[in-house]
């Protein structure tokens, strides 16, 4: 999330390398090989969660533009009006901005790059998580990233910075994929499993480094704490799910529900702690 109205900085999309048909992805329901994300293409019925998130993000952007917001350089007032995060407003009761900010973007280039990354990672991750799981991870890690950013703003007495963007949630999806793709019991060749996991690791590492570099070369403003919070929370969500991935759909979905409910409770406690820092 950016701290001004400037673009957040564009994420580099993950690159899986090699021919598309070399990377079958296990389905969380049937635990067998499926065509990979590139082979599935634009099949909304196969990965509805991914396209739901893409649709909401694009709809919010279109709504902003139709209401007169600049498609390339929205103002701070515009961003706040449509749900961007600002510490002062959040701490005075508008906690919903922790969610709405993940669907608000700072211009066409910002949303285009974020949605490209979300599409790639979503089509890779949804067969492992299911539609409900992918959407839950998006919300939970997006909120986690915004909360970490908020805590830093409160500690530094910065109550006016404005942030928006889906990149914290995108990092969260990357984080959970790194953990889930380490399961050697998945019905996928070990060489392909390693290649996919390595690609996601490189995606996260390169973009985190790019974000860190902007601290010294401020070409654009990037909220690195939102990215870091999303990524770390994604890693944390993946740990309890790892052991249940191949134990059957019922057990796996049950573990998901407990994990996501526990994560939501922890985020609520974290938010309560932040509210009492003032």
């Amino acid at each position: 999330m950016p701290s001004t109205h400037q673009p957040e900085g564009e994420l580099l999309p993950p690159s899986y390398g090699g021919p598309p048909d070399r990377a079958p992805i296990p389905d969380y329901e049937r635990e067998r090989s499926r065509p990979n994300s590139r082979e599935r293409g634009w099949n909304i019925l196969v990965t509805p969660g991914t396209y739901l998130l893409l649709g909401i993000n694009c709809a919010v952007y279109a709504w902003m533009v139709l209401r007169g917001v600049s498609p390339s350089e929205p103002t701070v007032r515009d961003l706040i009006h449509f749900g961007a995060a600002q510490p002062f407003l959040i701490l005075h009761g508008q906690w919903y901005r922790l969610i709405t900010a993940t669907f608000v973007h700072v211009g066409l280039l910002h949303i285009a790059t974020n949605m490209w990354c979300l599409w790639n990672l979503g089509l890779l991750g949804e067969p492992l998580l299911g539609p409900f799981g992918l959407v839950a991870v998006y919300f939970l890690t997006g909120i986690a990233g915004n909360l970490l950013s908020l805590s830093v703003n409160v500690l530094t007495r910065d109550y006016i910075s404005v942030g928006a963007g889906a990149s914290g949630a995108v990092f969260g999806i990357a984080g959970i994929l790194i953990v889930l793709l380490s399961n050697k019991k998945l019905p996928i060749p070990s060489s392909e499993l390693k290649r996919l996991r390595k690609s996601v690791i490189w995606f996260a590492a390169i973009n985190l480094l790019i974000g860190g570099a902007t601290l010294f070369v401020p070409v654009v403003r990037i909220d690195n704490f939102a990215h870091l919070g999303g990524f770390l929370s994604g890693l944390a969500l993946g740990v309890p799910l790892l052991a249940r991935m191949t134990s059957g759909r019922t057990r796996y979905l049950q573990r998901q529900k407990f994990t996501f409910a526990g994560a939501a409770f922890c985020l609520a406690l974290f938010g309560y702690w932040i509210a009492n820092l003032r």
Side-chain angles (χ1 to χ4, degrees), residues 111-228:
I111 188 173
T113 52
N114 274 352
M115 293 305 98
W116 175 248
C117 294
L118 176 60
W119 182 69
N120 278 274
L121 292 172
L123 294 185
L124 176 63
E126 189 163 346
L128 298 173
L129 290 162
F132 166 78
L134 182 74
V135 173
V137 169
Y138 181 96
F139 277 92
L140 290 171
T141 59
I143 292 172
N146 288 339
L147 279 174
L148 182 59
S149 178
L150 175 64
S151 67
V152 173
N153 287 332
V154 172
L155 290 172
T156 58
R157 298 295 188 265
D158 177 6
Y159 297 103
I160 62 173
S161 293
V162 175
S167 52
V170 170
F171 271 100
I173 296 173
I176 197 170
L177 281 177
I178 290 174
V179 176
L180 297 184
L181 288 172
S182 66
N183 190 333
K184 297 180 180 180
K185 295 182 180 180
L186 291 174
I188 182 173
S190 59
S191 60
E192 296 297 335
L193 197 61
K194 290 179 181 179
R195 183 173 65 83
L196 289 171
R197 188 167 183 264
K198 183 178 180 181
S199 297
V200 180
I201 291 174
W202 274 109
F203 160 78
I206 291 174
N207 283 290
L208 287 172
L209 286 174
I210 291 175
T214 61
L215 296 174
F216 307 98
V217 185
V219 178
V220 293
R221 289 295 297 270
I222 293 180
D223 191 338
N224 291 289
F225 288 104
H227 292 180
L228 183 62

Side-chain angles (χ1 to χ4, degrees), residues 1-277:
M1 287 174 45
S3 55
T4 71
H5 66 282
Q6 297 177 334
E8 175 180 350
E10 315 314 330
L11 297 181
L12 295 181
S15 175
Y16 305 123
D21 58 355
R22 293 181 54 202
I25 307 299
D27 190 298
Y28 87 114
E29 295 182 359
R30 298 178 178 84
E31 301 159 11
R32 62 180 178 83
S33 295
R34 277 289 190 91
N36 72 1
S37 61
R38 310 291 182 152
E39 204 170 12
R40 286 194 296 267
W42 297 91
N43 192 339
I44 298 178
L45 296 179
V46 175
T47 51
T50 300
Y51 289 104
L52 174 64
L53 294 172
L54 290 171
I56 295 175
N57 276 281
C58 292
V60 171
Y61 176 75
W63 179 38
M64 292 172 64
V65 173
L66 291 174
R67 294 296 298 270
V69 176
S70 169
S72 58
E73 295 183 357
T75 66
V76 170
R77 178 187 290 271
D78 290 333
L79 295 173
I80 292 176
H81 177 75
F82 285 95
Q86 185 185 56
F88 178 83
L89 295 175
I90 293 174
L91 294 173
H92 284 78
Q94 297 183 20
W95 291 90
Y96 64 85
R97 292 181 180 272
L98 296 173
I99 298 176
T100 57
T102 65
F103 295 102
V104 177
H105 287 85
V106 191
L108 180 60
L109 183 60
H110 189 205
I111 188 173
T113 52
N114 274 352
M115 293 305 98
W116 175 248
C117 294
L118 176 60
W119 182 69
N120 278 274
L121 292 172
L123 294 185
L124 176 63
E126 189 163 346
L128 298 173
L129 290 162
F132 166 78
L134 182 74
V135 173
V137 169
Y138 181 96
F139 277 92
L140 290 171
T141 59
I143 292 172
N146 288 339
L147 279 174
L148 182 59
S149 178
L150 175 64
S151 67
V152 173
N153 287 332
V154 172
L155 290 172
T156 58
R157 298 295 188 265
D158 177 6
Y159 297 103
I160 62 173
S161 293
V162 175
S167 52
V170 170
F171 271 100
I173 296 173
I176 197 170
L177 281 177
I178 290 174
V179 176
L180 297 184
L181 288 172
S182 66
N183 190 333
K184 297 180 180 180
K185 295 182 180 180
L186 291 174
I188 182 173
S190 59
S191 60
E192 296 297 335
L193 197 61
K194 290 179 181 179
R195 183 173 65 83
L196 289 171
R197 188 167 183 264
K198 183 178 180 181
S199 297
V200 180
I201 291 174
W202 274 109
F203 160 78
I206 291 174
N207 283 290
L208 287 172
L209 286 174
I210 291 175
T214 61
L215 296 174
F216 307 98
V217 185
V219 178
V220 293
R221 289 295 297 270
I222 293 180
D223 191 338
N224 291 289
F225 288 104
H227 292 180
L228 183 62
F231 182 66
L232 294 178
S233 61
L235 292 174
L237 286 174
V239 173
L241 298 182
L242 188 62
R244 283 287 183 265
M245 292 182 68
T246 56
S247 62
R249 181 174 183 269
T250 301
R251 290 183 179 181
Y252 184 46
L253 290 180
Q254 186 177 33
R255 177 62 62 89
Q256 278 192 358
K257 292 176 182 178
F258 281 120
T259 299
F260 298 152
F265 179 71
C266 291
L267 291 177
L269 290 179
F270 188 30
Y272 179 78
W273 176 76
I274 295 173
N276 287 277
L277 281 177

